[in-house]
Amino acid sequence: MARGYKHLVLGGCSLGRVDPGQFVMVKVDGHEVLLRRPFTVYDYDEERGVLEILYKVTGRGTRAMAELREGDVVSVLGPLGRGFPLDCPGKALLLARGVGLASLTYLGKKLREAGCSVVTVGSFRGRGEDLATGNKLVEGFSSRVYVLYDEDGTSSLDNVRRILFEENPSTVYTCGSKRLIRLLRQTPFKAYASVEERMGCGLGACLSCVVRTVHGYKLACRDGPVFDVRELEV
């Protein structure tokens, strides 16, 4: 879909109900990589049993996924974790950094279906990594799409803050970027974030995905990955 990013479509995934923000653990059958890898749900069609994942190729597990061909088999465990609350009586703003957009697309679709107006703000290093422009899924649920880049300075926090206050959403949803989470904590907007932590089992047993909150340490896989931004200490 963009430089270094892949879009995987899996059939035969009878996962039942999937809430936006939940994730799945994926393993390529027969591959030497033993541990499953966590991926957010990019899109899901419960009736057809079709699961879509958008991911960045970064290591052995994702390289194995990038080599998949039609008819290959993968093992999927999920849905796991706590998703986003669909808490939007009016306008929702999705604030994504890079591949964090993948965590917000299924949410945007569900918010639109619930009658909310959705504005999407995508921030990227450069145009080669832009996952928003020409993205039919994003354009389908968004009333407006802002695309910001590091290379021209439009992704600065001052510009993001300006957009937030001009749009004046009832709820903001974001993913991953600690810089954006800190920004949202300084605004009056109700906001939720999906945190990105390295996971092992995805079930809360290995204790590898610890998140620091105002209520003490919690686990991204079991207590999250979605938290109110004011709960997070980042």
Side-chain angles (χ1 to χ4, degrees), residues 20-73:
Q22 288 189 298
F23 65 96
V24 294
M25 301 291 288
V26 177
K27 183 182 183 301
V28 177
D29 282 9
H31 197 271
E32 62 180 6
V33 179
L34 297 178
L35 293 177
R36 297 173 184 268
R37 298 292 192 266
F39 297 96
T40 189
V41 174
Y42 178 64
D43 197 10
Y44 177 62
D45 187 324
E46 181 177 352
E47 185 175 332
R48 296 170 53 229
V50 175
L51 171 68
E52 299 185 38
I53 296 170
L54 177 65
Y55 64 98
K56 188 173 186 178
V57 181
T58 57
R60 288 190 303 160
T62 48
R63 282 197 297 270
M65 290 173 57
E67 295 169 0
L68 287 168
R69 296 294 180 265
E70 184 176 356
D72 289 345
V73 178

XYZ file of all heavy atoms in Angstrom, residues 20-73:
436
model
N -13.703 -2.557 17.427
C -12.600 -1.730 16.927
C -11.534 -1.536 18.002
O -11.847 -1.251 19.153
C -13.276 -0.404 16.582
C -14.700 -0.755 16.334
C -15.016 -1.882 17.275
N -10.286 -1.712 17.625
C -9.191 -1.575 18.581
C -8.697 -2.888 19.133
O -7.601 -2.951 19.705
N -9.475 -3.962 18.989
C -8.992 -5.276 19.397
C -7.926 -5.759 18.410
O -7.785 -5.223 17.316
C -10.143 -6.278 19.470
C -11.073 -6.054 20.650
C -12.068 -7.188 20.816
O -12.886 -7.447 19.933
N -12.009 -7.880 21.943
N -7.195 -6.799 18.799
C -6.120 -7.292 17.953
C -6.173 -8.808 17.841
O -6.918 -9.482 18.569
C -4.759 -6.848 18.493
C -4.399 -7.440 19.840
C -3.613 -8.569 19.936
C -4.855 -6.847 21.012
C -3.284 -9.122 21.170
C -4.530 -7.387 22.260
C -3.744 -8.521 22.336
N -5.387 -9.342 16.912
C -5.279 -10.791 16.734
C -3.802 -11.165 16.766
O -2.928 -10.344 16.495
C -5.903 -11.254 15.396
C -7.411 -11.032 15.404
C -5.264 -10.550 14.203
N -3.527 -12.419 17.105
C -2.165 -12.955 17.069
C -2.082 -13.901 15.868
O -2.911 -14.804 15.724
C -1.855 -13.706 18.358
C -1.971 -12.872 19.629
S -0.705 -11.593 19.789
C 0.750 -12.588 20.157
N -1.087 -13.686 15.034
C -0.990 -14.393 13.750
C 0.331 -15.151 13.650
O 1.385 -14.652 14.040
C -1.099 -13.401 12.573
C -0.922 -14.121 11.233
C -2.443 -12.675 12.617
N 0.251 -16.368 13.095
C 1.435 -17.172 12.817
C 1.275 -17.834 11.452
O 0.212 -18.371 11.142
C 1.652 -18.248 13.879
C 2.920 -19.085 13.678
C 3.043 -20.150 14.744
C 4.345 -20.935 14.570
N 4.426 -21.596 13.257
N 2.335 -17.775 10.644
C 2.335 -18.442 9.343
C 2.611 -19.922 9.567
O 3.658 -20.277 10.117
C 3.388 -17.830 8.404
C 3.424 -18.574 7.073
C 3.105 -16.349 8.180
N 1.688 -20.795 9.175
C 1.848 -22.226 9.393
C 3.083 -22.759 8.678
O 3.358 -22.409 7.522
C 0.609 -22.980 8.885
C -0.556 -22.884 9.851
O -0.454 -22.094 10.804
O -1.565 -23.597 9.656
N 3.836 -23.603 9.394
C 5.007 -24.232 8.807
C 6.246 -23.360 8.773
O 7.292 -23.795 8.285
N 6.174 -22.135 9.293
C 7.333 -21.249 9.263
C 8.146 -21.407 10.536
O 7.639 -21.762 11.592
C 6.886 -19.792 9.099
C 7.973 -18.874 8.667
N 8.791 -18.233 9.561
C 8.412 -18.511 7.432
C 9.671 -17.493 8.904
N 9.467 -17.642 7.612
N 9.442 -21.133 10.445
C 10.358 -21.316 11.569
C 10.097 -20.359 12.721
O 10.530 -20.597 13.848
C 11.798 -21.128 11.085
C 12.092 -19.746 10.533
C 13.521 -19.584 10.057
O 14.252 -20.583 10.057
O 13.883 -18.453 9.695
N 9.413 -19.251 12.463
C 9.097 -18.303 13.540
C 8.048 -18.932 14.447
O 6.930 -19.217 14.024
C 8.584 -16.968 12.968
C 8.232 -16.016 14.103
C 9.642 -16.337 12.063
N 8.401 -19.156 15.714
C 7.534 -19.910 16.618
C 6.431 -19.054 17.233
O 5.301 -19.506 17.379
C 8.378 -20.546 17.731
C 9.415 -21.580 17.269
C 10.201 -22.096 18.463
C 8.742 -22.731 16.541
N 6.767 -17.834 17.640
C 5.799 -17.001 18.342
C 4.845 -16.317 17.368
O 5.243 -15.895 16.278
C 6.507 -15.947 19.185
C 7.319 -16.461 20.368
C 8.018 -15.289 21.060
C 6.442 -17.202 21.353
N 3.608 -16.183 17.792
C 2.646 -15.405 17.019
C 3.005 -13.926 17.097
O 3.649 -13.481 18.041
C 1.228 -15.616 17.569
C 0.717 -17.044 17.480
C -0.618 -17.156 18.201
N -1.095 -18.533 18.228
C -1.899 -19.055 17.321
N -2.335 -18.305 16.328
N -2.293 -20.306 17.400
N 2.540 -13.168 16.113
C 2.760 -11.731 16.096
C 1.415 -11.013 16.250
O 0.422 -11.428 15.654
C 3.419 -11.293 14.788
C 4.808 -11.902 14.553
C 5.822 -11.355 15.551
N 7.196 -11.701 15.181
C 7.860 -12.755 15.628
N 7.258 -13.599 16.450
N 9.108 -12.982 15.259
N 1.375 -9.935 17.050
C 0.106 -9.212 17.240
C -0.132 -8.199 16.125
O 0.782 -7.489 15.710
C 0.324 -8.497 18.575
C 1.803 -8.262 18.619
C 2.456 -9.403 17.893
N -1.379 -8.131 15.660
C -1.756 -7.156 14.636
C -3.144 -6.625 14.940
O -4.052 -7.379 15.304
C -1.755 -7.787 13.236
C -0.411 -8.272 12.801
C -0.054 -9.601 12.975
C 0.513 -7.397 12.248
C 1.193 -10.050 12.600
C 1.770 -7.841 11.867
C 2.111 -9.178 12.041
N -3.299 -5.343 14.771
C -4.613 -4.744 14.936
C -5.505 -5.137 13.767
O -5.022 -5.532 12.697
C -4.490 -3.216 15.012
O -5.744 -2.651 15.380
C -4.056 -2.634 13.678
N -6.798 -5.058 13.969
C -7.761 -5.382 12.910
C -7.950 -4.151 12.029
O -8.470 -3.137 12.478
C -9.101 -5.842 13.519
C -10.142 -6.039 12.427
C -8.900 -7.122 14.317
N -7.511 -4.254 10.798
C -7.646 -3.155 9.835
C -9.090 -3.070 9.340
O -9.668 -1.996 9.235
C -6.679 -3.387 8.684
C -6.729 -2.364 7.574
C -6.378 -1.040 7.813
C -7.094 -2.723 6.284
C -6.409 -0.096 6.799
C -7.123 -1.793 5.261
C -6.780 -0.483 5.516
O -6.822 0.442 4.503
N -9.679 -4.236 9.031
C -11.089 -4.307 8.662
C -11.549 -5.742 8.874
O -10.735 -6.683 8.862
C -11.307 -3.888 7.207
C -12.774 -3.546 6.907
O -13.574 -3.449 7.865
O -13.113 -3.383 5.727
N -12.852 -5.908 9.091
C -13.387 -7.248 9.343
C -14.832 -7.317 8.878
O -15.623 -6.423 9.161
C -13.302 -7.583 10.839
C -13.910 -8.926 11.197
C -13.386 -10.105 10.675
C -14.991 -9.013 12.059
C -13.934 -11.337 11.001
C -15.539 -10.239 12.403
C -15.011 -11.400 11.868
O -15.558 -12.610 12.187
N -15.143 -8.367 8.133
C -16.502 -8.637 7.676
C -16.963 -9.917 8.354
O -16.574 -11.021 7.959
C -16.518 -8.785 6.152
C -17.929 -8.904 5.586
O -18.792 -9.521 6.246
O -18.167 -8.392 4.477
N -17.771 -9.763 9.416
C -18.196 -10.926 10.198
C -19.022 -11.890 9.366
O -18.884 -13.119 9.478
C -18.995 -10.464 11.421
C -19.453 -11.607 12.320
C -20.181 -11.120 13.561
O -20.195 -9.896 13.811
O -20.748 -11.973 14.271
N -19.889 -11.371 8.519
C -20.771 -12.229 7.729
C -19.984 -13.106 6.751
O -20.281 -14.289 6.583
C -21.772 -11.362 6.958
C -22.822 -12.153 6.200
C -23.867 -11.256 5.563
O -24.109 -10.154 6.097
O -24.436 -11.658 4.536
N -18.961 -12.531 6.128
C -18.158 -13.270 5.152
C -16.952 -13.965 5.774
O -16.298 -14.789 5.129
C -17.685 -12.325 4.042
C -18.807 -11.734 3.200
C -18.306 -10.622 2.289
N -17.174 -11.066 1.470
C -16.036 -10.398 1.328
N -15.853 -9.252 1.970
N -15.072 -10.854 0.563
N -16.637 -13.644 7.022
C -15.470 -14.226 7.669
C -14.163 -13.775 7.057
O -13.221 -14.567 6.932
N -14.094 -12.497 6.667
C -12.897 -11.955 6.023
C -12.234 -10.945 6.960
O -12.848 -9.966 7.374
C -13.240 -11.285 4.676
C -11.999 -10.624 4.087
C -13.808 -12.309 3.707
N -10.973 -11.212 7.279
C -10.181 -10.362 8.163
C -9.083 -9.683 7.353
O -8.403 -10.331 6.554
C -9.549 -11.213 9.267
C -8.514 -10.546 10.171
C -9.162 -9.496 11.055
C -7.795 -11.592 11.017
N -8.894 -8.372 7.555
C -7.857 -7.637 6.844
C -6.868 -7.038 7.842
O -7.267 -6.511 8.882
C -8.468 -6.537 5.977
C -9.421 -7.083 4.918
C -9.945 -6.008 3.978
O -9.160 -5.098 3.634
O -11.130 -6.080 3.603
N -5.593 -7.140 7.498
C -4.511 -6.645 8.344
C -3.598 -5.763 7.498
O -3.233 -6.124 6.378
C -3.695 -7.819 8.934
C -4.565 -8.663 9.862
C -2.462 -7.315 9.665
C -3.913 -9.968 10.293
N -3.252 -4.615 8.028
C -2.276 -3.729 7.397
C -1.053 -3.690 8.302
O -1.174 -3.413 9.492
C -2.860 -2.323 7.227
C -1.945 -1.252 6.644
C -1.569 -1.590 5.211
C -2.629 0.115 6.689
N 0.129 -3.992 7.752
C 1.300 -4.096 8.604
C 2.555 -3.599 7.895
O 2.594 -3.484 6.667
C 1.514 -5.553 9.048
C 1.827 -6.509 7.918
C 3.144 -6.871 7.627
C 0.808 -7.057 7.140
C 3.436 -7.742 6.595
C 1.095 -7.939 6.115
C 2.406 -8.278 5.844
O 2.702 -9.140 4.819
N 3.564 -3.312 8.691
C 4.856 -2.901 8.172
C 5.830 -4.064 8.291
O 5.881 -4.739 9.322
C 5.388 -1.691 8.941
C 6.653 -1.088 8.340
C 7.047 0.208 9.039
C 8.227 0.871 8.331
N 8.592 2.157 8.982
N 6.600 -4.318 7.248
C 7.569 -5.407 7.252
C 8.793 -4.956 8.039
O 9.520 -4.052 7.618
C 7.970 -5.800 5.816
C 8.975 -6.958 5.845
C 6.739 -6.189 5.010
N 9.015 -5.589 9.212
C 10.095 -5.150 10.097
C 11.004 -6.282 10.562
O 12.128 -6.028 10.971
C 9.519 -4.464 11.349
O 8.627 -5.377 12.019
C 8.756 -3.199 10.980
N 10.540 -7.531 10.555
C 11.344 -8.638 11.083
C 10.975 -9.949 10.421
O 10.280 -9.986 9.401
N 11.438 -11.057 11.028
C 11.235 -12.380 10.419
C 9.756 -12.741 10.288
O 9.330 -13.311 9.288
C 11.953 -13.451 11.236
C 13.471 -13.417 11.103
C 14.081 -14.655 11.734
N 13.701 -14.797 13.133
C 13.751 -15.941 13.813
N 14.131 -17.048 13.219
N 13.402 -15.982 15.088
N 8.972 -12.422 11.321
C 7.559 -12.779 11.287
C 6.800 -12.058 10.190
O 6.019 -12.664 9.448
N 7.018 -10.760 10.068
C 6.313 -9.994 9.036
C 6.879 -10.280 7.644
O 6.152 -10.202 6.652
C 6.377 -8.490 9.335
O 7.725 -8.113 9.639
C 5.472 -8.131 10.499
N 8.178 -10.629 7.561
C 8.714 -11.022 6.249
C 8.077 -12.318 5.775
O 7.802 -12.491 4.576
C 10.235 -11.171 6.316
C 10.983 -9.847 6.284
C 12.445 -10.035 5.929
N 13.150 -10.836 6.926
C 13.755 -10.324 7.986
N 13.746 -9.018 8.195
N 14.386 -11.106 8.838
N 7.818 -13.239 6.716
C 7.137 -14.485 6.358
C 5.726 -14.197 5.860
O 5.242 -14.821 4.909
C 7.097 -15.434 7.557
N 5.051 -13.242 6.483
C 3.715 -12.866 6.040
C 3.753 -12.236 4.657
O 2.883 -12.471 3.819
C 3.078 -11.910 7.053
C 2.707 -12.574 8.360
S 2.140 -11.403 9.616
C 0.777 -10.608 8.804
N 4.791 -11.430 4.400
C 4.899 -10.744 3.115
C 5.118 -11.723 1.963
O 4.879 -11.397 0.801
C 6.038 -9.727 3.163
N 5.574 -12.934 2.286
C 5.821 -13.953 1.259
C 4.613 -14.853 1.018
O 4.670 -15.750 0.175
C 7.021 -14.799 1.674
C 8.335 -14.015 1.720
C 9.462 -14.775 2.391
O 9.208 -15.929 2.829
O 10.571 -14.226 2.486
N 3.524 -14.630 1.751
C 2.325 -15.457 1.580
C 1.740 -15.304 0.181
O 1.800 -14.237 -0.421
C 1.264 -15.070 2.618
C 1.516 -15.501 4.065
C 0.551 -14.798 5.000
C 1.395 -17.014 4.205
N 1.138 -16.397 -0.296
C 0.466 -16.395 -1.584
C -0.957 -16.936 -1.404
O -1.276 -17.573 -0.397
C 1.226 -17.262 -2.595
C 2.622 -16.738 -2.932
C 2.545 -15.417 -3.672
N 3.869 -14.885 -3.999
C 4.520 -14.006 -3.266
N 3.976 -13.567 -2.122
N 5.701 -13.556 -3.623
N -1.799 -16.700 -2.364
C -3.176 -17.176 -2.298
C -3.202 -18.683 -2.052
O -2.496 -19.445 -2.721
C -3.909 -16.850 -3.600
C -5.383 -17.238 -3.569
C -6.120 -16.816 -4.840
O -5.494 -16.163 -5.703
O -7.317 -17.155 -4.955
N -4.000 -19.096 -1.065
C -4.115 -20.504 -0.720
C -3.261 -20.927 0.453
O -3.462 -22.019 1.010
N -2.281 -20.099 0.850
C -1.471 -20.411 2.026
C -2.325 -20.308 3.290
O -3.366 -19.632 3.307
C -0.279 -19.458 2.131
C 0.771 -19.716 1.060
O 0.710 -20.788 0.432
O 1.631 -18.850 0.846
N -1.857 -20.965 4.341
C -2.628 -21.040 5.587
C -1.882 -20.323 6.712
O -0.673 -20.476 6.856
C -2.884 -22.508 5.985
C -3.638 -22.581 7.317
C -3.673 -23.220 4.894
